[in-house]
Amino acid sequence: MSAPRLHPEFFIRLFLGENAMLGPGKAALLEGIARTGSISAAGRELGMSYKRAWMLVEALNGMFREPLVESARGGAGGGGASLTDTGRQVLALYRGIEAAAAGASADRLSALRGLLPDSSA
């Protein structure tokens, strides 16, 4: 099951600096971690390997001044992961940028769709 999207046809990838990119995949992973409490479960929902999910979390944690995801190792007490305050803030800001851009572009997107052949719309 993949995370719901605001506008599936509209994707934004932010290039915040060298090796600092934030896009729909990382945002969906953060949402999945918030929802499931697990990096591996969030990755599975998105069809990515455990290793890939962890690599993205490590990249996200290194991208900002403070980590976005806190994790606890598994074991007898179980592991888990959650978004930090900064993680929640980054996710909310990204989704806000995405929503504002989609809203500002709605008429243009509709006009583009109108130029497609009937079978593509």
Side-chain angles (χ1 to χ4, degrees):
M1 175 171 97
S2 64
R5 293 227 16 98
L6 183 62
H7 295 282
E9 73 280 357
F10 193 83
F11 301 100
I12 291 190
R13 178 164 286 113
L14 303 173
F15 292 87
L16 303 168
E18 190 173 329
N19 299 316
M21 294 170 276
L22 183 61
K26 288 177 182 170
L29 182 61
L30 289 173
E31 287 173 333
I33 291 167
R35 186 174 51 260
T36 66
S38 166
I39 294 170
S40 59
R44 275 193 306 275
E45 282 186 356
L46 297 167
M48 67 177 67
S49 71
Y50 175 78
K51 182 178 179 179
R52 176 75 178 145
W54 264 101
M55 285 174 44
L56 290 175
V57 167
E58 288 173 349
L60 286 162
N61 279 347
M63 198 181 304
F64 294 91
R65 286 186 199 147
E66 297 178 12
L68 305 191
V69 177
E70 292 177 319
S71 62
R73 289 194 179 269
S82 61
L83 298 188
T84 63
D85 289 340
T86 302
R88 286 186 290 278
Q89 183 179 15
V90 165
L91 181 58
L93 287 168
Y94 173 81
R95 289 301 188 205
I97 290 167
E98 185 179 53
S105 301
D107 291 343
R108 291 177 187 93
L109 287 169
S110 180
L112 280 172
R113 272 193 230 92
L115 297 172
L116 295 171
D118 289 339
S119 63
S120 298

